[in-house]
Amino acid sequence: MTVPTLHTDRLVLHPPGLPHLDAALALWSDPVVAIYTGGTPRKLDDIWDRLLKKVGQWALFGYGAWIVQRREDGAFLGEVGYLRNQRLLDPVPADGWPQDPEMGWAFLPSAHGQGIASEAVTAALAWGDAHGLKRTIALINEGNVASIRLAERQGYRLFDRPGFGGQPAMLFERFAP
């Protein structure tokens, strides 16, 4: 499977790969990012596993995540895209974890407040809509007000409030137009 590269006015969404490992480590080990993504800054072995998972998602399911870079200078800004996860929610839903793709995003604090996440998520959702992803979900930490607002602006609607990783979370769903 060839992973597409997406372009927006300010961004390029690239396939994940080895050249982005150090930048991904900087993102996922940032304490500001960690607050809403599990509570603990990630270590290199976890970032390595995440990279393999991202590459594997494209191969297995035909969708996955992208690395987000600024178009003008190639600076790494974050990650966005789809994953098929098996999350341990509390309580576990009666029908298990939804098998629909999960949309997720994370950006360096230096990219916050500039509309970059919105631009990247819009591009990723447009790709998914055009490629048959009918329903997507988003799991967001209850305290992550910026991500909740972004999800709602993108058409996501709350449908459950499970616990995840010992913290209250919100589970959203979106149906393609």
Side-chain angles (χ1 to χ4, degrees), residues 29-175:
S29 64
D30 187 286
V32 173
V33 173
I35 289 170
Y36 299 119
T37 58
T40 305
R42 307 287 170 82
K43 306 243 185 279
L44 182 58
D45 62 333
D46 185 46
I47 302 309
W48 178 254
D49 290 347
R50 291 174 69 84
L51 172 63
L52 297 177
K53 181 179 181 179
K54 287 176 186 143
V55 172
Q57 295 274 323
W58 282 105
L60 289 173
F61 304 117
Y63 57 78
W66 291 272
I67 300 299
V68 180
Q69 294 178 296
R70 190 172 24 244
R71 195 174 200 169
E72 93 181 348
D73 62 4
F76 176 93
L77 300 172
E79 299 178 4
V80 66
Y82 303 98
L83 294 173
R84 181 171 288 174
N85 284 311
Q86 296 295 319
R87 302 227 190 241
L88 296 174
L89 302 179
D90 183 22
V92 176
D95 54 354
W97 176 257
Q99 293 304 302
D100 303 291
E102 180 182 346
M103 168 56 71
W105 53 87
F107 290 87
L108 290 168
S110 61
H112 293 179
Q114 301 171 44
I116 290 187
S118 182
E119 191 172 327
V121 171
T122 297
L125 287 172
W127 181 90
D129 292 349
H131 289 84
L133 300 183
K134 301 292 184 205
R135 177 183 185 244
T136 57
I137 58 173
L139 180 67
I140 302 174
N141 180 293
E142 193 175 76
N144 192 343
V145 176
S147 281
I148 292 167
R149 282 196 305 247
L150 173 57
E152 291 173 342
R153 283 194 312 271
Q154 296 290 344
Y156 283 90
R157 297 294 169 248
L158 179 67
F159 77 94
D160 199 1
R161 289 180 169 271
F164 178 67
Q167 300 178 353
M170 301 170 78
L171 198 51
F172 292 82
E173 65 184 348
R174 175 187 178 271
F175 293 91

